[in-house]
Structures are given as C-alpha cells and as structure tokens.
Amino acid sequence: MKNKRKKHEAIQGIAFLSPAIIVIGIFIMSSIIFALYISFHKVNLFTGYYEFIGLDNYKRIFTDTKTRIAFINILSFVVVVVPIQTIIALIMAAVLNTNIRGKIGFRTIYFLPTLTSSAALTMIFMFLFSLDGPVNKLAVNMNLLSESINFLNNPKFALKVIMSMNIWSTVPFYMTIYLAGLQEVPKSIYEASSVDGANGFQKFIHVTVPQLKPITTFVLLMGIIGTFQMFDQAYIFSGGSGGPENSTLTVALLIYRNAFGQNNTMGFATAMSIMLSIVVFIVSFIAQKLNKSDSLY
Amino acid sequence: MNKKSKKLKWLLYAILIIYGLVTLFPFSWTVSASFKSYKEITGGGLNLIPKQPTVHAFKKLFMIDPNFLRWIFNSFYICTLGTFINVFLNSMAGYSLARLDFKGKNVIYYGVLISIMVPGQVLLIPNYLIVKSLGLLNSYNAIILPAAVNATYIIMMRQFYINFPKDIEEAANIDGLGRLGTFLRVSMPLAKPAIATQAVFIYLGFWNEFLKPKLYLSDPSKYTLTVGIQSMMSRYSGITQWDEVMAASLISLLPILIIYIFLNKYFMQGIRMDGEK
C-alpha cells in the first residue's frame, strides 16, 4: 500500500517536472554538448555539412585580427564600466539609506533606466549624441565645444558613448541590491562609531563599505558577467557592423556576425563563445578572490 | 554639531537631485523630441518644450506606417503567452522539487542550478540550429519555446514551497482534491506574491528582448517592438527620422512603466531575492 503511494508520488513528481526537463534538456543541456561538437567543425550552413577540423577554430582565435580587437574592446569596456557602476551604485544606495525625505520618490525615478529596453535606450542615446542632438548643442552653447562632434561616427568616442549609456542604465539595478544589503547592517555598529566620534563620511568608509563586502562581490560578478556579454547596445549602435573602424566591435557581436554571416564561420563563432565563457569565468574568479582578500579595511 | 548635520543634509539633497536630473535628462528629451517636428529637432535651439507641439510623429506611426501596430501586437502576444507558460511551468517544477519525493530528484535539481550559470553566447548557435531543424524559424514560437521555463524562478518557487506549511494542502487532499487539483486551486493561489514577482520580471525580459527576435524573425510584419524600432533607424536613405524614432521609443516604454507604477513592490522584491542569493 505504502509502496503504491510512493510510486504514485514519483509519477506525479516527474509529470510536474517534465516540461521543464524537456526545455532545459533540449535548449540548455544538449545545446552545451552540441556547442562543443560544433566548435571542432567547419560548418556549412546551407548544405548542413560538418567537417571535422580539430582545434583549428580555437587556434584561429589567437591569430584573427578582428577577434583581438573585439577582446581588447570588451576588456577595456569591463575595466571602465564595472568599477564606475559599482562605486556610483554604492554611493547612491548609501545616500538613499539616510533618513532624508522623499526617498521613495527618488528611488522610483532612479529605477526608470533599468526598465527601458536596450533597443529604446540605445536609440535615445544615439539621438542625444547625434550631430544636431541636445548634447552637442548644450556643449556648444556653453562653449565647452567649438563645434559639434559626430560622436556616433568618431571611433574615438563611439565606445565611450556606449560605456556611459551602460553605466547609466545598470546603476539603478545594483543600487537596489545595495539598498537591500544595507537593511541587514546592524544599527548598533553605526551607533558605536558615532560614540567614537566618526562623521558621516568616516562611517561610510569604515562601516558601510566593509559590511557590504559580500554584496560588493555579488555586484562585481554580475557586472562582469553582464558587461562581457554586451551585445544589444553595440549591435544597435553600429547597425550590426561594430563600427566606426571596429571601435564598437564586442566579442558577442563578433560571435553573432561570424555565426550568421555568409562565411561558414559558425564553428569558429562557437569556439569563440566557449572561449568567452572561459574568460568570463576566470575574470569572475579573480575578482571574487581579490575582493575577499582585500585587507584595506 | 547641528549646523554640520544641516550642511550634510543639503549635500545629500544635492546629490539626490543631480542624480535625478541625470536619470531624467534622456527621457525628457525623448518626450520633447516626439512632440517636435523633424525640422525643429534638427534646426531649432535647446528648448525642451516644443515651439509648435505636434502629434505628427504619432500619427505617422499609427496611421501611415504599415507595421507599427503589428509590432505592438506581436510584442504583447509574445510577452503574455510567454509569461503565462513560464509562470505555470516554473511553479510546477519548483513545487515538484520542493514537495514531491522521487528518485533522481537531486540530479534534476543540480541540473537546474547548473543551467543558470551557462552563458547565453554558448547556447546561441546550437539553439538556432535546433529551432531551425524544428521548423520554427520566423515564428513566435521560436522565441517563446526555448524560453518556456526559467531556471532562476524554478529555484525561487522551490524555495517558496519549502518554506510554506503543508497543512492546508493536506486538508484539501482529505477533502477529495487530487494532486493537480490541489496544486491549481490551493498551492498556486497561495503563492501569489512569488508568482507576481516572477511574472513581472519574465514579462520585462520578454518585452525588452532584442537578440532573439532579431535572429529568428525575418518578416518585418512579425517583428517585435524592439526589433521594429531598430529597423526604423536610417530607413529613409540613411536619414533617421528622430521624431518618429523617439515617439516609438516612448510608446515602447509605456506598458512597462504602467506595470511598474502598479507593481513597484514586486520589482523590488524580485531584486532583493536575486541580491541575497
């Protein structure tokens, strides 16, 4: 009797799980194996012919000029964007956590960029930075610029526009994570440091920052993973080309171009995607270790 | 001391307001540009309020553009269907992992956990080939099906049902409801907050998705709003009609903004849940 009930429960359990198992099984688990398989082959998309070429795709990653440019672009992107967005998010969370009026109103406004789709967001920033756009006009009117700059087509500025857009749109998300973390910091520590005569700034440096370290690790990891995979903004900004002069070519965009272009480079693109995952994993691991062993505080 | 803390308060307010302006600046220009004529955008000065406000851009989008209404419909269709399927399947899977006992459950649980960590780029190409071989290219299902479950929310629902008392379900069971009946009529309604939280984020995710619709939908009448807006760039011999593009961006923001205003609480809960992992 008991055995029968157990069997019944097992059938129910599997039945409830089966849709999830099927979707994850096909589109994630078997896809990983499929990806490894593709990465050792030269794929002809039109005939569907797979030719085994061993490690050639992986070797090509180290010699391909565009790949090098894309990796350098995305590394500089991560190095600039992740620290800045983390610091701004931390400061804004600390400011919002003080007992000041109108906090909820400010928080609601700040969250707007996170809700906006990357497509709409990129269009808005392209308008702002266009030749006749408000940023140029404002800068010229205030005599900061002698004449309008074509931010969108100038390789010196294109990636920087995307960087500022990315920081602007991700800060609110991380700020909210920090705000949640601040609720957990015991009030007694702040009180004790007040007794010791610490001012607001000292409390921030000596209490808030060290107390939030686990959350900082999480924010850094999320930031690194997110920025390394940046695609939408780079694609829309350059109309898919990665231009001007490859200055907005990211690894994810290059993977897309190689995978779905005309050049039978799907295997190469897959190898590059596996390489990107390994790089993200290593950088995340280092960031986590660094933040833990950071003995400054 | 008092004077000092007053000074600090002013400093805090200054930071809050400046950051608020930084946040609002792009949006205010979006609203402004969508009510200006193309001529005023490219020629005029720095006035935020249009000199001759016009709804010309909106009129063109809704009345002349052959596809704009279709894109809005497509986005709503994919989001709504996708969110419904996700909420059901995630909740069922999470419930099963928390409440039901069977062999191999732990293996499946770890499989779900691992699947959260796999980067999207690795899956992009195999998923495309699978979708293609299933004959789903250029259909809404190409976007909905591979995203029919979300591992993060399976784990969230599992957590919810583990912490949730069993008594009520057992009572329903004694009253003669079967497992599925109990799940649909008792367990699901009781999980309302957790369901609302995942629904909001899944909806937002589908609404803002760009890469997949771009990759899978080739027929302009099948585009979602995000891909549609992108296709409006430079479509008239390289010149971008900023008034139309800004109006379209504004429209794409509105539904999410409305959901956010009404369900603000669930957005914050969702982030907190992610943040405390």
Side-chain angles (χ1 to χ4, degrees), chain B residues 60-243:
Chain B
K60 252 170 106 180
L61 286 174
F62 284 109
M63 292 164 140
I64 297 168
D65 196 306
N67 285 326
F68 191 74
L69 273 171
R70 217 20 232 275
W71 296 340
I72 295 179
F73 168 81
N74 295 344
S75 276
F76 270 116
Y77 178 83
I78 289 173
C79 285
T80 311
L81 192 61
T83 306
F84 260 107
I85 294 174
N86 254 278
V87 164
F88 258 99
L89 299 188
N90 294 342
S91 305
M92 275 169 74
Y95 179 84
S96 174
L97 287 173
R99 277 279 200 271
L100 299 168
D101 196 34
F102 53 91
K103 236 181 165 178
K105 192 169 92 166
N106 277 335
V107 179
I108 294 170
Y109 173 62
Y110 285 114
V112 174
L113 268 185
I114 289 168
S115 71
I116 295 178
M117 292 179 253
V118 186
Q121 272 76 30
V122 174
L123 304 175
L124 179 71
I125 295 160
N127 275 358
Y128 176 82
L129 294 173
I130 293 168
V131 165
K132 193 182 168 197
S133 69
L134 291 173
L136 292 175
L137 284 188
N138 206 19
S139 80
Y140 303 132
N141 287 336
I143 297 156
I144 296 171
L145 206 61
V149 298
N150 187 318
T152 309
Y153 298 110
I154 294 180
I155 302 295
M156 179 187 113
M157 292 313 285
R158 176 181 171 271
Q159 213 57 39
F160 178 87
Y161 282 117
I162 279 180
N163 295 328
F164 200 76
K166 265 186 187 168
D167 320 0
I168 308 167
E169 285 169 24
E170 272 160 13
N173 205 290
I174 290 163
D175 285 350
L177 270 178
R179 181 66 75 182
L180 192 65
T182 313
F183 175 75
L184 290 178
R185 293 219 211 140
V186 181
S187 315
M188 280 284 272
L190 287 171
K192 239 185 214 159
I195 285 173
T197 303
Q198 63 163 321
V200 185
F201 276 90
I202 292 165
Y203 203 91
L204 184 68
F206 272 112
W207 186 266
N208 289 346
E209 176 73 55
F210 174 75
L211 172 58
K212 282 176 195 154
K214 176 84 209 164
L215 185 58
Y216 292 132
L217 307 173
S218 49
D219 182 355
S221 71
K222 290 225 166 112
Y223 284 175
T224 60
L225 208 44
T226 50
V227 180
I229 292 175
Q230 189 260 334
S231 76
M232 288 170 68
M233 265 323 260
S234 351
R235 68 170 156 181
Y236 302 109
S237 56
I239 295 162
T240 305
Q241 299 289 320
W242 284 119
D243 53 337

Side-chain angles (χ1 to χ4, degrees), chain A residues 28-41 58 266-267 270-271 273-274, chain B residues 121-127:
Chain A
I28 298 181
M29 294 306 171
S30 66
S31 282
I32 298 172
I33 298 162
F34 195 14
L36 283 169
Y37 175 82
I38 299 168
S39 75
F40 295 110
H41 289 77
Y58 288 94
M266 198 169 244
T270 312
S273 75
I274 290 167
Chain B
Q121 272 76 30
V122 174
L123 304 175
L124 179 71
I125 295 160
N127 275 358

Side-chain angles (χ1 to χ4, degrees), chain A residues 3 23 32 80 106 162 202 206 275:
Chain A
N3 225 338
V23 174
I32 298 172
V80 172
F106 280 113
I162 302 182
Q202 283 166 334
H206 295 289
M275 208 56 164

Side-chain angles (χ1 to χ4, degrees), chain A residues 55-67:
Chain A
L55 283 170
D56 280 9
N57 286 327
Y58 288 94
K59 282 182 198 153
R60 193 173 153 191
I61 293 171
F62 295 94
T63 52
D64 189 74
T65 326
K66 279 212 166 170
T67 311

